[in-house]
Amino acid sequence: EEFEMGQGTTLIRNTSYVVVFDGTQHVLVKNGMVAFRGHEIVYAGKNYDGIADTVIDANDGLVIPGLVNIHCHIYGSPVEKGFLEDLANPRFYMSGLYDYLQIRALPPEEQPRLFRFALAEMVKKGSTTVFDMGLASPEMLDIVSQSGLRAYMGPASVGATWSTKNGHEVIYTWDEKRAYDRLEYAVRTFEKYD
C-alpha cells in the first residue's frame, strides 16, 4: 500500500521478528509490531493497541532498523557484485581487485543507470544511510538526492591505478595531476554542498 509520510499512524504487522532496542540492548521480538507517525517510531514491541491509519502486512518478514553502509563505491557495485569475490586470487590475499578492476570500468554514459540500480538495491536490502567513495559527479549527486537515502558522498582522489599482468605482481600507474585535480574537485564539491 502507498502512503504519505506524516499522514497519521502506520502499523507494520505480521512480522516474523522485529529488532527492538529495549533501553539496554537490541532484542528480537517474535511476531512483533512497529508503528510510526511521519519519521517517528511511536511503538516497537509485541502488541500495538493504538489506532493505525495505514496497516502494512510484513508477510512474515523481518523488520530491522535501517542499515548504515559506511564503505561503498556505488557506481561500480552492480558490475563487480560477486565478480571480484568469486574470482579471488590467492596470491593477492583472495582478492580479485588487482586482476579485474580495470575490466569493470564503464563508459560515463552508462554510469548513471548503474548508479540508480545500485541505490535501489541498497534500499531493498535495508540500507538507509550510505557513505560513497567515488566519482560524486554533479549528475550522481542529483540522483542520490532523489533516492530517499541519507547519503554522504566522498569524491575520491586517487593518485594511481593498479593492475597485474602476471597474477602475482601489482603494477602502479601514477598520475599526480589527476590526483590533485580530483582533490581540488573534492574541495569545491564540499564547499558547494556542505
Side-chain angles (χ1 to χ4, degrees):
E1 295 179 43
E2 290 189 23
F3 59 92
E4 295 290 325
M5 294 298 279
Q7 299 292 318
T9 301
T10 300
L11 175 66
I12 303 173
R13 64 175 178 80
N14 190 22
T15 69
S16 59
Y17 289 93
V18 173
V19 178
V20 176
F21 186 71
D22 68 2
T24 307
Q25 63 184 351
H26 285 93
V27 295
L28 287 173
V29 176
K30 188 170 179 60
N31 304 115
M33 299 180 173
V34 175
F36 63 92
R37 191 174 305 115
H39 294 285
E40 179 185 2
I41 296 174
V42 296
Y43 178 83
K46 187 70 175 166
N47 295 306
Y48 177 71
D49 58 5
I51 297 172
D53 301 294
T54 303
V55 177
I56 297 173
D57 185 336
N59 198 23
D60 205 34
L62 171 69
V63 178
I64 62 174
L67 302 175
V68 178
N69 186 334
I70 62 169
H71 180 148
C72 60
H73 306 279
I74 297 172
Y75 72 95
S77 297
V79 176
E80 66 193 30
K81 184 177 180 182
F83 186 76
L84 294 179
E85 297 86 1
D86 293 345
L87 299 174
N89 183 336
R91 294 186 183 120
F92 290 129
Y93 307 100
M94 296 310 289
S95 171
L97 184 64
Y98 305 103
D99 294 297
Y100 301 106
L101 186 65
Q102 304 309 316
I103 294 172
R104 74 169 181 82
L106 298 169
E109 64 273 10
E110 295 295 327
Q111 292 171 2
R113 282 192 299 219
L114 288 170
F115 194 73
R116 284 185 184 90
F117 176 81
L119 290 171
E121 186 175 70
M122 287 179 173
V123 170
K124 183 179 178 185
K125 302 297 184 190
S127 290
T128 57
T129 304
V130 298
F131 177 71
D132 176 59
M133 293 171 280
L135 300 176
S137 68
E139 185 174 18
M140 289 179 178
L141 293 171
D142 185 51
I143 292 168
V144 78
S145 73
Q146 298 171 28
S147 72
L149 284 165
R150 187 177 303 112
Y152 299 88
M153 305 297 285
S157 177
V158 179
T161 56
W162 56 84
S163 61
T164 183
K165 293 181 179 174
N166 56 18
H168 65 272
E169 179 184 17
V170 178
I171 299 166
Y172 294 92
T173 305
W174 295 96
D175 187 345
E176 287 187 24
K177 181 179 178 340
R178 177 177 167 228
Y180 282 115
D181 288 349
R182 284 294 297 172
L183 185 57
E184 287 177 9
Y185 174 76
V187 170
R188 286 193 314 272
T189 302
F190 285 129
E191 289 171 348
K192 181 177 180 178
Y193 292 98
D194 189 27

